[in-house]
Amino acid sequence: MKSDGQYYYQEDSSGTLVASPSSDPYMLPLVPRTPTQGDRYIRERTQVPPDAFEGSQVVFKSGPQPIQVINNLPDEWIEDIHPEGQLLYSKVVSSRGLSVRVHTDLPLRSTENHPVILAAFGRLSQLLESSEELHNAQLKDSEVEACILVSDDFPDEFGYYLVNHRDQTTFWLEEVNASDLDMWAYDEDIYRHKLAEQYWRHVTDFPHYCCLSPKVWDQLGPLMLLGAVDQEYCKDSTTPQDAETFSRLEGFWRQAKAERDADCNKAACNWICARLWYDVVTPRIHNFWGTDYARLERTITVGDDPRPSQAQQQQYSWLIRFICIFLLWDEPAVTMRLLDDAWPGGIIYPKPWREMMTMFGNEWEKISVLSAVTFTGAMASLAIPLQALQGSSDPQEMGTLLTSLAICCEIACCALSVASLIAASNLRRDFGGKITYDVHEAVGRHYLHSNPTLTQ
């Protein structure tokens, strides 16, 4: 077995050297990643620690602090609790006079993870020390942060990124191809929005020590007011929310802005500000904001906009399309064209989405009632030819044959009515309720994620 520092090479059955990742964390590479490539919300978590105490075995200490927990964290790492409840860890590293706070959400209470974070932190410290661009940018200590990502999706490497609070962007200490970060856009203007989107995702993930400028806070109010007014005047507005939602969010913004200076509220207020900005910046990517081909109305097609109706035609065979046209009266294509209007350019707009889902809900309810009535009528009609068939002595008579055909038709009608009733009930169950008016719930459903051209 041979090693080159990052990989071990061992011979397979044919004698060829095959690379396998090193199990030593100090051998793993440190590579650029983005905040959205972390696994915080999809990571598997054990429900109960293996060494957990039962309630009857806990002894409360005497005095005003009955619970005194001492966590064995690596040197100088501190622990914080995200407003959502996630444990976060950070440590400040000094590099040529610049202090950079390094974050991670790797569980550091577990001593098994200590060698991992120490190895990644050492690699990042070396990059910070050797980066001339970083130290020539004249950033203040409070204007730059870094993050180390250790993900189950990338077990053979560490991920890292840095954020610039002064310019609200994400950056790295080496040249990076956008494709290596799973990014794609028409030009640099859109990439600028994508990096800003990643920046605000970082602030939502690690909100405790961010120093957001008053300008960042002050810009949010007019932007939400602009969106609300645009929704009132323009039916095809590209703003991501309706006027009523903007009004509620503006109230949350005012309250958070008033409380942001208190240390006890800093993390929560930063999270609120970042979440609002994230919802402002993300639609700019899909609407090509600040470019020569900006989408000024949501129904305008720009470039290769994802269209559900086109994706459907490419996905299904000619046989399926033939059946849809002649047996289902092309109803699936009509539905996809309605979805084109509710989701232009890869963005769900609340108003047309709610109108479409309300129309679907009413249609499914009518189908349920009609199917139930049809089934009842078919069952009642089935009794008539059955009695006629029982009274016939010659099975070869024309009337007997017609009666048998009528029975088959009645049975088929019953079966189709039951199938229609079941389908309508399932649709009302799966796509009724919250998904009718909540676009975030709609995005999270498998129905929409099942089409990769619809999710950006």
Side-chain angles (χ1 to χ4, degrees):
M1 181 178 295
K2 302 178 182 179
S3 173
D4 64 359
Q6 294 183 2
Y7 293 89
Y8 286 111
Y9 294 87
Q10 52 186 355
E11 292 185 357
D12 60 10
S13 57
S14 63
T16 304
L17 288 177
V18 178
S20 60
S22 171
S23 59
D24 185 354
Y26 289 91
M27 299 292 184
L28 299 181
L30 184 68
V31 300
R33 291 291 172 210
T34 62
T36 53
Q37 289 179 318
D39 62 349
R40 172 179 300 187
Y41 293 100
I42 60 175
R43 182 187 308 158
E44 294 185 2
R45 294 170 171 85
T46 55
Q47 295 182 351
V48 180
D51 56 348
F53 291 99
E54 295 182 2
S56 60
Q57 296 177 330
V58 174
V59 178
F60 296 118
K61 299 181 182 298
S62 62
Q65 294 182 339
I67 300 294
Q68 298 179 14
V69 179
I70 300 177
N71 296 317
N72 184 23
L73 301 180
D75 291 340
E76 300 181 2
W77 284 87
I78 60 175
E79 183 180 88
D80 296 292
I81 301 178
H82 192 279
E84 295 178 333
Q86 172 79 25
L87 288 176
L88 307 176
Y89 304 91
S90 65
K91 177 180 179 179
V92 177
V93 57
S94 181
S95 175
R96 294 163 59 178
L98 178 65
S99 296
V100 179
R101 182 173 292 276
V102 181
H103 297 273
T104 188
D105 59 4
L106 180 68
L108 295 186
R109 288 187 178 182
S110 174
T111 56
E112 296 178 356
N113 291 328
H114 289 187
V116 176
I117 196 62
L118 291 177
F121 184 82
R123 291 288 184 87
L124 181 59
S125 300
Q126 294 175 3
L127 283 177
L128 292 170
E129 191 69 23
S130 60
S131 176
E132 296 296 335
E133 294 83 0
L134 174 63
H135 296 287
N136 293 336
Q138 298 181 349
L139 292 171
K140 299 179 182 178
D141 294 346
S142 59
E143 293 178 338
V144 59
E145 288 185 327
C147 181
I148 295 174
L149 297 176
V150 181
S151 171
D152 292 338
D153 294 334
F154 305 99
D156 306 332
E157 61 195 25
F158 304 127
Y160 86 97
Y161 65 85
L162 292 92
V163 294
N164 177 356
H165 292 301
R166 185 179 64 188
D167 300 318
Q168 292 91 52
T169 190
T170 311
F171 68 100
W172 298 267
L173 301 178
E174 56 194 281
E175 291 187 354
V176 186
N177 291 326
S179 58
D180 294 336
L181 301 172
D182 295 332
M183 285 188 183
W184 183 90
Y186 283 112
D187 57 28
E188 292 183 353
D189 292 317
I190 306 303
Y191 280 119
R192 187 177 296 110
H193 300 323
K194 285 182 174 286
L195 292 179
E197 178 189 42
Q198 296 295 330
Y199 166 80
W200 289 115
R201 173 58 187 268
H202 166 82
V203 179
T204 60
D205 287 348
F206 302 96
H208 286 82
Y209 301 97
C210 301
C211 294
L212 302 179
S213 67
K215 179 181 178 181
V216 169
W217 282 92
D218 294 339
Q219 287 177 331
L220 266 177
L223 283 175
M224 289 185 286
L225 181 60
L226 172 65
V229 173
D230 194 35
Q231 282 281 353
E232 291 292 336
Y233 279 100
C234 180
K235 183 178 72 172
D236 292 329
S237 171
T238 58
T239 52
Q241 303 290 349
D242 55 28
E244 182 181 354
T245 302
F246 272 124
S247 179
R248 295 199 309 270
L249 294 178
E250 199 258 351
F252 300 152
W253 164 77
R254 288 184 180 276
Q255 185 175 357
K257 183 181 177 183
E259 301 290 339
R260 73 181 189 275
D261 293 331
D263 289 339
C264 60
N265 299 328
K266 184 175 181 180
C269 291
N270 282 345
W271 185 94
I272 294 172
C273 180
R275 191 65 182 84
L276 293 173
W277 266 110
Y278 189 88
D279 283 349
V280 169
V281 172
T282 300
R284 291 180 176 180
I285 298 172
H286 301 279
N287 291 325
F288 310 103
W289 191 86
T291 67
D292 291 334
Y293 40 88
R295 191 200 318 275
L296 302 183
E297 293 187 354
R298 65 176 179 82
T299 55
I300 300 299
T301 300
V302 179
D304 298 327
D305 274 348
R307 300 186 67 82
S309 59
Q310 296 175 357
Q312 182 200 35
Q313 295 175 2
Q314 298 173 0
Q315 182 177 0
Y316 298 121
S317 64
W318 65 270
L319 178 60
I320 299 297
R321 293 200 297 269
F322 177 83
I323 294 175
C324 290
I325 292 175
F326 289 96
L327 297 183
L328 300 177
W329 297 284
D330 208 22
E331 187 64 25
V334 174
T335 301
M336 298 304 284
R337 285 194 292 270
L338 290 174
L339 192 57
D340 285 345
D341 184 63
W343 195 340
I347 304 176
I348 294 182
Y349 289 90
K351 187 176 180 180
W353 173 264
R354 292 167 186 167
E355 292 175 352
M356 184 188 71
M357 293 304 297
T358 300
M359 182 186 68
F360 285 167
N362 294 334
E363 181 179 335
W364 297 332
E365 185 174 357
K366 292 178 182 178
I367 291 176
S368 298
V369 174
L370 181 61
S371 299
V373 172
T374 303
F375 176 77
T376 303
M379 289 295 295
S381 301
L382 187 61
I384 298 176
L386 283 176
Q387 292 179 355
L389 187 63
Q390 290 176 355
S392 176
S393 59
D394 186 2
Q396 299 297 326
E397 293 182 359
M398 179 61 66
T400 303
L401 295 177
L402 293 177
T403 301
S404 301
L405 181 61
I407 292 175
C408 294
C409 292
E410 297 288 353
I411 293 175
C413 184
C414 290
L416 292 175
S417 298
V418 171
S420 178
L421 180 62
I422 293 175
S425 300
N426 288 338
L427 287 171
R428 292 176 61 192
R429 179 197 63 192
D430 293 340
F431 300 105
K434 190 176 181 181
I435 194 176
T436 304
Y437 58 87
D438 189 345
V439 296
H440 297 286
E441 180 75 7
V443 173
R445 292 297 183 94
H446 175 74
Y447 170 72
L448 297 179
H449 280 295
S450 63
N451 193 331
T453 65
L454 300 182
T455 54
Q456 294 291 313

